[in-house]
C-alpha cells in the first residue's frame, strides 16, 4: 500500500434531524435494553495492514456521567429513525464488459467479494441504466426511429454482457437483489436536439411514448428474471453533458410525473415500483423536492428523492444540511443516495487514502440525515477507469487489470464494507453522537438485536474514546485516518 499524503476538504458531522420515536422489538413492545457486555471491533486504517480486520474485543463497564475532557461516542438504542434498505453498486454496461474479460476464477472472486455476507461485504442493493450511458462502450437505444408504438422494443444489446452479469450478481446475492433503473436519455428522435448526448429536452409530443418506454423496459427485464424494485425519472436532470443526458426543470419533472409517468405506471400495474425523483446533487435538492412534493398530484406517485455527491464540482463541500431540510419538510418521503464515484481516474492513485475517506464521510452523514439506501456507481471498471465512450474515466471500489486478470481493491471497497457488511436490511438507525469533531459516527439496530456503530476518524490524531451506552462504556481507540465498525 503506497503511503500518499493528500489534502482533502471534509465537512463536519451533520447533526441528526428527523422525527424519532421509542424503539420497538418486532414492531410491538418497547425495546428492553440489555446491558452491553462485549463489543466486536473491525478496523480499516491508513499506514497499517488493517482492512476490515477484527481486532480485540472491547468490554463494557459501569461508567456513569462522562466529563467534557473524556472523548465519547454516545449511542441511544431507544431512539429510532429511518429503516435501512440496503447498500450496493451500479451494474453498468462498463462493469459487465470488464467482468466478461476476466478468468472464471477471478469472476468468482469478484462476486464473492461484493455479495457474500461472510467472505465479502454483503452488497444487497443495485442500480442499472435504461439504454446507454457514459459507462457504455457505445451509444444505443431499444427502439427504432419514430416507432411511437414501441413495437420494435428489444433489449438484445444488453443480452451480450449486462443481463448475464446482472443474473450472476442476483445469484451471488442469494437470489434476491433489489434493483432500480435509470435513464440517461430518451432516444434522440424524442428530443428537441435530436441527440442522446449534450442535454436537450423531451419533446412534449413524445411524453406519453417515453412514459410507455419505462414500462416496456421494466416488464421486459422482469420477464427475463430480473425483478425491478424501483426507477428514477432521469439521471442528473440539470446536467448538460457530453454524454447521454436530458434536461428537466423542477416544473418539467413534476408535470411529467403527474401527467404521464405516474399514471402510466399505475395503469400498467407497476404502482408498487418505488418512483425516485431528482437523482442529482445535494445542492439543488431542496428546491427540487419542494417543487415536486408540494404538488399533491405529483407527490402521490413519488416514493422518494434521490441524490448524488458531485456538488463538489462547484467548489462546495458536500451539502448534508440540504438533506436534513428535505427530511424535515417531507418526513413521509424517503432519501436515497443514487450515485457517487471519484472522478478523473489515475492508476497511480488507486492506493490514495482519500478515495475511501470520501465514501466514509458521505455515508456517515447521509445516513445521519435520513438516507435509507446508498448506491455506489460502477461496481467494476478496468485499469483505465472505463470503458467509457466519451472518455469520462472514473474510479470504482474494485478495478480489474484486464491484462493480468487480477482485481485491484481500492480502500473505498473496505470503507463501504464497514457499513454494508454489518448493517442488515430492516435495521433502524438509532441515536448516536460524538463530543469531538474529529470523530464522526452513526449507529443502527439490526433486526437480530445487534447494535452496529460506525466511527470515522479523518484526522491525523490517534483518539482513545469511550463507547457509551446507558451508563456503561467500553474503551476503544480510533487510529488516524481510520474507520471502525463496532458490533454489540
Amino acid at each position: 500500500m503506497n503511503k500518499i499524503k493528500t489534502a482533502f476538504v471534509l465537512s463536519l458531522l451533520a447533526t441528526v434531524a428527523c422525527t424519532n420515536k421509542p424503539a420497538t422489538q418486532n414492531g410491538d413492545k418497547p425495546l428492553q435494553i440489555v446491558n452491553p457486555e462485549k463489543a466486536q471491533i473491525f478496523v480499516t486504517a491508513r499506514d497499517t495492514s488493517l482492512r476490515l480486520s477484527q481486532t480485540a474485543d472491547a468490554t463494557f463497564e459501569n461508567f456513569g456521567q462522562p466529563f467534557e475532557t473524556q472523548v465519547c461516542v454516545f449511542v441511544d438504542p431507544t431512539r429510532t429513525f429511518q429503516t435501512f434498505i440496503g447498500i450496493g453498486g451500479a451494474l453498468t454496461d462498463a462493469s459487465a464488459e470488464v467482468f466478461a474479460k476476466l478468468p472464471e476464477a477471478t469472476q468468482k472472486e469478484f462476486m464473492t467479494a461484493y455479495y457474500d455476507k461472510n467472505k465479502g461485504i454483503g452488497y444487497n442493493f443495485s442500480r442499472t441504466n435504461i439504454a446507454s450511458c457514459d459507462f457504455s462502450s457505445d451509444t444505443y437505444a431499444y427502439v427504432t426511429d419514430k416507432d411511437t408504438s414501441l413495437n420494435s422494443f428489444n433489449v438484445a444489446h444488453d443480452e451480450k454482457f449486462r443481463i448475464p452479469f446482472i443474473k450472476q450478481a442476483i445469484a451471488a446475492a442469494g437470489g434476491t437483489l433489489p434493483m432500480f433503473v435509470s435513464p440517461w436519455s430518451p432516444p434522440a428522435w424524442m428530443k428537441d436536439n435530436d441527440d442522446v448526448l449534450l442535454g436537450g429536452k423531451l419533446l412534449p409530443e413524445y411524453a406519453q411514448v417515453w412514459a410507455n418506454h419505462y414500462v416496456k423496459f421494466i416488464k421486459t427485464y422482469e420477464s427475463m428474471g430480473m425483478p425491478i424494485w424501483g426507477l428514477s425519472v432521469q439521471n442528473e436532470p440539470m446536467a448538460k453533458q457530453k454524454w447521454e443526458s436530458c434536461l428537466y426543470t423542477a416544473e418539467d419533472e413534476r408535470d411529467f410525473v403527474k401527467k404521464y409517468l405516474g399514471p402510466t405506471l399505475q395503469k400498467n400495474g407497476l404502482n408498487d415500483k418505488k418512483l425516485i425523483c431528482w437523482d442529482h446533487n445535494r445542492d439543488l435538492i431542496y428546491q427540487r423536492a419542494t417543487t415536486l412534493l408540494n404538488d399533491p398530484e405529483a407527490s402521490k406517485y413519488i416514493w422518494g428523492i434521490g441524490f448524488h455527491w458531485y456538488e463538489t464540482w462547484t467548489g462546495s463541500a458536500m451539502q448534508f444540511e440540504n438533506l436534513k431540510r428535505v427530511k424535515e419538510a417531507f418526513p413521509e418521503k424517503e432519501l436515497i443516495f443514487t450515485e457517487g464515484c471519484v472522478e478523473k481516474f489515475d492508476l497511480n492513485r488507486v492506493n490514495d487514502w482519500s478515495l475511501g475517506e470520501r465514501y466514509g464521510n458521505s455515508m456517515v452523514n447521509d445516513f445521519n440525515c435520513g438516507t435509507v439506501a446508498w448506491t455506489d456507481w460502477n461496481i467494476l471498471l478496468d485499469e483505465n477507469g472505463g470503458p467509457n465512450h466519451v472518455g469520462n474515466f472514473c474510479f470504482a471500489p474494485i478495478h480489474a487489470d484486464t491484462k493480468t486478470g487480477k482485481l485491484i481493491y481500492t480502500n473505498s471497497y473496505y470503507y463501504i464494507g464497514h457499513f454494508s457488511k454489518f448493517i442488515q436490511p430492516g435495521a433502524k438507525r438509532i441515536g448516536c453522537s460524538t463530543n469531538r469533531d474529529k470523530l464522526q459516527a452513526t449507529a443502527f439496530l439490526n433486526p437480530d438485536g445487534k447494535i452496529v456503530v460506525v466511527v470515522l476518524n479523518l484526522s491525523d490524531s490517534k483518539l482513545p474514546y469511550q463507547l457509551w451506552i446507558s451508563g456503561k462504556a467500553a474503551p476503544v481507540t480510533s487510529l488516524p485516518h481510520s474507520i471502525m465498525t463496532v458490533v454489540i
Side-chain angles (χ1 to χ4, degrees), residues 129-146:
N129 45 296
I130 299 176
S132 61
C133 66
D134 49 332
F135 279 91
S136 303
S137 291
D138 53 355
T139 297
Y140 63 90
Y142 298 129
V143 292
T144 58
D145 284 358
K146 305 297 183 179

Side-chain angles (χ1 to χ4, degrees), residues 100 116 131 301 346 487:
D116 191 288
Y301 297 114
D346 179 353
V487 181

Side-chain angles (χ1 to χ4, degrees), residues 18-33:
C18 299
T19 304
N20 67 75
K21 58 184 179 180
T24 59
Q25 190 78 37
N26 299 323
D28 42 30
K29 299 178 182 178
L31 180 69
Q32 300 299 312
I33 299 303

Side-chain angles (χ1 to χ4, degrees), residues 377-432:
W377 186 210
N378 299 279
I379 199 168
L380 175 69
L381 292 173
D382 65 18
E383 66 274 20
N384 300 309
N388 186 294
H389 71 87
V390 288
N392 179 35
F393 301 119
C394 296
F395 286 91
I398 298 178
H399 287 266
D401 185 335
T402 57
K403 298 180 182 67
T404 65
K406 302 293 185 182
L407 298 179
I408 303 167
Y409 295 81
T410 74
N411 53 70
S412 301
Y413 167 82
Y414 301 102
Y415 269 75
I416 296 169
H418 275 273
F419 301 86
S420 61
K421 187 177 178 69
F422 302 99
I423 306 169
Q424 301 168 358
K428 291 281 189 180
R429 185 173 63 84
I430 57 177
C432 184

Side-chain angles (χ1 to χ4, degrees), residues 1 17 45 92 118 122 134 156 164 173 221-222 257 306 328 340 346 359 407 424 429 441 473 476 484:
M1 181 64 71
T92 59
N118 298 311
D134 49 332
Y221 260 49
E222 291 198 322
V257 166
E328 288 168 346
D346 179 353
Y359 279 84
L407 298 179
Q424 301 168 358
R429 185 173 63 84
V476 186
M484 65 165 52

Side-chain angles (χ1 to χ4, degrees), residues 291-463:
T291 303
L292 292 163
L293 300 177
N294 282 336
D295 186 312
E297 289 303 304
S299 181
K300 69 182 182 182
Y301 297 114
I302 299 168
W303 172 83
I305 304 296
F307 63 95
H308 301 181
W309 71 14
Y310 308 112
E311 66 267 21
T312 53
W313 78 272
T314 65
S316 172
M318 292 184 185
Q319 296 184 291
F320 303 114
E321 289 289 324
N322 289 346
L323 303 181
K324 292 197 299 178
R325 299 290 86 81
V326 172
K327 195 61 181 175
E328 288 168 346
F330 306 101
E332 75 284 2
K333 299 298 184 181
E334 304 296 356
L335 289 170
I336 176 172
F337 184 88
T338 48
E339 184 186 316
C341 73
V342 179
E343 300 162 290
K344 299 180 180 179
F345 179 77
D346 179 353
L347 187 60
N348 295 318
R349 290 187 60 214
V350 292
N351 295 324
D352 190 329
W353 204 254
S354 70
L355 300 178
E357 290 193 325
R358 181 167 179 173
Y359 279 84
N361 184 52
S362 180
M363 295 179 81
V364 166
N365 287 286
D366 290 338
F367 286 130
N368 280 345
C369 292
T371 298
V372 297
W374 210 95
T375 326
D376 185 37
W377 186 210
N378 299 279
I379 199 168
L380 175 69
L381 292 173
D382 65 18
E383 66 274 20
N384 300 309
N388 186 294
H389 71 87
V390 288
N392 179 35
F393 301 119
C394 296
F395 286 91
I398 298 178
H399 287 266
D401 185 335
T402 57
K403 298 180 182 67
T404 65
K406 302 293 185 182
L407 298 179
I408 303 167
Y409 295 81
T410 74
N411 53 70
S412 301
Y413 167 82
Y414 301 102
Y415 269 75
I416 296 169
H418 275 273
F419 301 86
S420 61
K421 187 177 178 69
F422 302 99
I423 306 169
Q424 301 168 358
K428 291 281 189 180
R429 185 173 63 84
I430 57 177
C432 184
S433 69
T434 79
N435 65 345
R436 294 293 187 276
D437 63 359
K438 289 182 178 179
L439 291 180
Q440 302 186 31
T442 192
F444 287 82
L445 176 64
N446 276 335
D448 64 6
K450 291 182 180 179
I451 294 170
V452 177
V453 186
V454 182
V455 180
L456 180 69
N457 180 355
L458 301 170
S459 77
D460 295 327
S461 304
K462 181 178 181 180
L463 296 169

